[in-house]
Amino acid sequence: MAGSHDIFADDFRFEPYWWTAAPRPEEDLGYVPDKADAVVVGSGYTGLSAALTLTREGRHVVVFEAGPAGYGASSRNAGFVGKSLKYSFGHLLETKGEAYAVEVYREMQDAFDCVTGLIEQEQITCHYRQCGRYMAANSPVHYEGMAREYELRRKYLGDESEMVSKQDQHTALGSDIYHGGAILPGLGGLHPGLYHLGLLQRARNAGANVLGHTPVTKIVRDGSEFTVTTSRGATRTRDVLIATNGYTPKATPWLRRRVIPFRGLMIATEELPKEKLDQIVPVDRTIHDFNNNLTYLRRAPDSSRLLFGGRTGLMSDDGEKIARAIHGRMTKILPDMENVKVSRAWNGFGAGTFDLYPHVGTHDGMHYALGYCFAGVPMGTYLGRKMAMRVLQKDRDAKTVFADRPFPTKWWYGGTPWFTPAVVARFNWLDARGR
Ligand SMILES: Cc1cc2nc3c(=O)[nH]c(=O)nc-3n(C[C@H](O)[C@H](O)[C@H](O)COP(=O)(O)OP(=O)(O)OC[C@H]3O[C@@H](n4cnc5c(N)ncnc54)[C@H](O)[C@@H]3O)c2cc1C
């Protein structure tokens, strides 16, 4: 790694930056119980939110996790807490009408409130702040589109926003490549690793049995019960909840054919002088652009590093390749960062769906919540709770516009997204044309 043009800091590691303050738990493996009221597969936000809800209602819950607890995207994401859906409010208004558009976006607000409420009630220390977000426009057309979209959201939903012209861009972001943007003051940011550890601790304290390093290999339905087989033993249970999002395994083939794992890549820079950070991110907001192949950045909430992510198309688990690709992207957008070194690089999987909606439902007796299209900090927490409410048969609390929608797949899709490079190439082609 040495060399005069080396981008790697001395402490470079291929590991999520978040794991420094929130290391993945190393723990003794507890025994796999013969019986449980409910088995949750996956220990990210979705699984823990569901487990916490169920245990608080007196259910005996076991959570099986293939890696150490929270090994998936929940300890790897950027920590943006937003209210975004792949469909804009304006698009839903035009295609589905006012009632539906408002219903959907009110639920995005509910999901946001679910996270902030949980953090407050459970007193989870995770650097949560309503810091606001800056959305950078890739072209004048995007800028105009944003202005229309946020005006509609102000009118129908009461959401505040403020447009920033290209001339004033440096008040929000130290880059010349964008065409202005919008400030959304209502959105938040947190430390995803600490948020996850907080949820884990609350779920365990409530009585959930969270077992890491225990991948589920088979789930068999037998009348009104299931046998969930893991690498270390089997549990019989009445209810199974699948919370595996971008890591959905072969043990649940029906779901695996319906979610498309998408790789997100991130880096953390070395510590930066205050003046440098102030120049790049003058106001401590989360920031992302309007590209199809999205770029996102923020200040680390607990140090003077810049966190930068994007390039979901690189199909590699090589830490140095990831670091170089993302560093290259960063210096294209922020040329002043050229000589800044990289301390951490990592990747993780989110999940898209063919209809671009998140889904919660029940198939073959098994409950599921997944497909958050990279908005899983709020949606995972929220739909994990909704999934638990389905198990508890609390119909009013379980109600959501995202429940029991048709969950499409394609006849040619088996769960391996071989087409990702082509999709990303198309994204890049559209982005180069500002579309
Ligand atoms: C780089 C990156 C940046 C992102 N940034 C943001 C952001 O800023 N804001 C936002 O809202 N969203 C973001 N996301 C998306 C968000 O992180 C996810 O949507 C969310 O964490 C999903 O949570 P989850 O609990 O459903 O799944 P995960 O946290 O991915 O957990 C699924 C778990 O299932 C486990 N599992 C899989 N198979 C098995 C098995 N057979 N047995 C047992 N366990 C199994 C996996 O090991 C994994 O731990 C980002 C994602 C990535 C990758």
Side-chain angles (χ1 to χ4, degrees):
M1 273 192 312
S4 54
H5 301 295
D6 203 347
I7 62 160
F8 297 99
D10 291 342
D11 68 344
F12 175 77
R13 290 209 295 274
F14 179 45
E15 180 188 282
Y17 168 71
W18 312 112
W19 292 11
T20 306
R24 291 304 89 201
E26 287 299 330
E27 52 211 346
D28 293 338
L29 296 180
Y31 78 99
V32 172
D34 294 339
K35 272 182 166 287
D37 292 333
V39 164
V40 178
V41 187
S43 69
Y45 305 139
T46 307
L48 294 182
S49 172
L52 182 63
T53 308
L54 290 171
T55 44
R56 289 260 164 88
E57 291 286 327
R59 300 291 167 104
H60 171 214
V61 180
V62 181
V63 181
F64 290 126
E65 165 56 53
Y71 186 74
S74 295
S75 65
R76 296 164 182 271
N77 62 74
F80 290 25
V81 188
K83 302 182 219 168
S84 43
L85 189 72
K86 286 290 166 200
Y87 297 105
S88 69
F89 181 78
H91 172 82
L92 292 184
L93 195 64
E94 203 179 305
T95 56
K96 309 267 186 187
E98 180 181 334
Y100 182 79
V102 169
E103 186 185 8
V104 167
Y105 269 79
R106 287 253 183 269
E107 274 215 53
M108 304 313 292
Q109 179 68 50
D110 291 345
F112 181 89
D113 294 342
C114 177
V115 173
T116 55
L118 195 62
I119 289 170
E120 200 180 304
Q121 277 154 30
E122 302 293 335
Q123 300 192 357
I124 297 175
T125 308
C126 59
H127 300 281
Y128 176 74
R129 232 165 46 79
Q130 192 176 319
C131 51
R133 184 176 299 177
Y134 180 63
M135 307 262 301
N138 302 336
S139 66
V141 174
H142 281 155
Y143 182 87
E144 293 306 323
M146 272 183 187
R148 276 194 305 277
E149 168 73 7
Y150 295 120
E151 179 51 26
L152 287 173
R153 290 205 206 174
R154 190 196 58 71
K155 183 172 163 195
Y156 289 93
L157 305 166
D159 285 353
E160 294 298 321
S161 58
E162 183 191 328
M163 295 306 289
V164 176
S165 68
K166 185 168 169 60
Q167 293 89 296
D168 291 336
Q169 172 122 287
H170 279 255
T171 60
L173 171 63
S175 172
D176 290 318
I177 76 162
Y178 295 112
H179 294 258
I183 296 169
L184 311 179
L187 305 187
L190 50 67
H191 186 302
L194 291 175
Y195 176 52
H196 178 269
L197 280 192
L199 277 179
L200 177 65
Q201 194 200 33
R202 300 317 181 269
R204 280 187 165 149
N205 287 351
N209 184 5
V210 183
L211 296 173
H213 301 286
T214 313
V216 168
T217 51
K218 201 161 72 175
I219 304 174
V220 175
R221 190 176 184 178
D222 171 13
S224 60
E225 292 208 328
F226 292 88
T227 301
V228 180
T229 305
T230 76
S231 59
R232 301 197 297 115
T235 302
R236 274 186 79 74
T237 184
R238 201 175 50 228
D239 292 304
V240 175
L241 297 86
I242 308 297
T244 46
N245 202 46
Y247 297 80
T248 297
K250 289 186 174 152
T252 52
W254 188 84
L255 285 172
R256 202 172 138 86
R257 290 197 57 221
R258 282 161 175 79
V259 289
I260 308 153
F262 249 84
R263 202 183 288 260
L265 313 176
M266 289 194 74
I267 58 170
T269 67
E270 60 188 327
E271 299 260 4
L272 298 174
K274 180 177 178 319
E275 311 78 64
K276 185 99 180 170
L277 263 183
D278 287 348
Q279 176 199 348
I280 301 295
V281 183
V283 181
D284 187 6
R285 301 186 187 102
T286 58
I287 298 174
H288 71 71
D289 65 19
F290 222 64
N291 274 322
N292 296 286
N293 190 359
L294 197 72
T295 295
Y296 40 98
L297 64 140
R298 62 178 292 189
R299 293 175 181 218
D302 56 347
S303 71
S304 60
R305 298 167 197 272
L306 188 77
L307 309 180
F308 194 99
R311 277 247 176 120
T312 52
L314 186 71
M315 305 286 276
S316 172
D317 289 322
D318 179 323
E320 288 189 30
K321 270 194 190 152
I322 290 170
R324 287 190 194 285
I326 298 296
H327 188 272
R329 177 99 190 112
M330 177 175 75
T331 54
K332 208 169 137 204
I333 292 168
L334 307 164
D336 293 339
M337 296 292 283
E338 189 173 353
N339 295 319
V340 167
K341 293 186 190 301
V342 178
S343 274
R344 299 283 187 279
W346 70 98
N347 60 1
F349 288 95
T353 55
F354 285 102
D355 62 0
L356 302 180
Y357 276 101
H359 287 262
V360 58
T362 306
H363 175 75
D364 207 9
M366 276 187 275
H367 305 283
Y368 58 82
L370 34 61
Y372 306 128
C373 303
F374 274 84
V377 178
M379 290 312 282
T381 311
Y382 179 71
L383 291 186
R385 184 182 284 179
K386 292 282 179 196
M387 176 165 62
M389 291 301 175
R390 293 173 77 89
V391 171
L392 295 166
Q393 297 184 333
K394 294 193 174 190
D395 294 346
R396 224 183 51 184
D397 293 331
K399 197 167 171 290
T400 156
V401 70
F402 302 113
D404 302 316
R405 306 171 59 86
F407 200 166
T409 181
K410 303 281 180 195
W411 63 265
W412 41 261
Y413 182 57
T416 304
W418 47 267
F419 44 82
T420 304
V423 171
V424 173
R426 177 159 168 77
F427 282 176
N428 291 340
W429 186 86
L430 290 168
D431 292 338
R433 283 153 190 80
R435 283 150 71 178

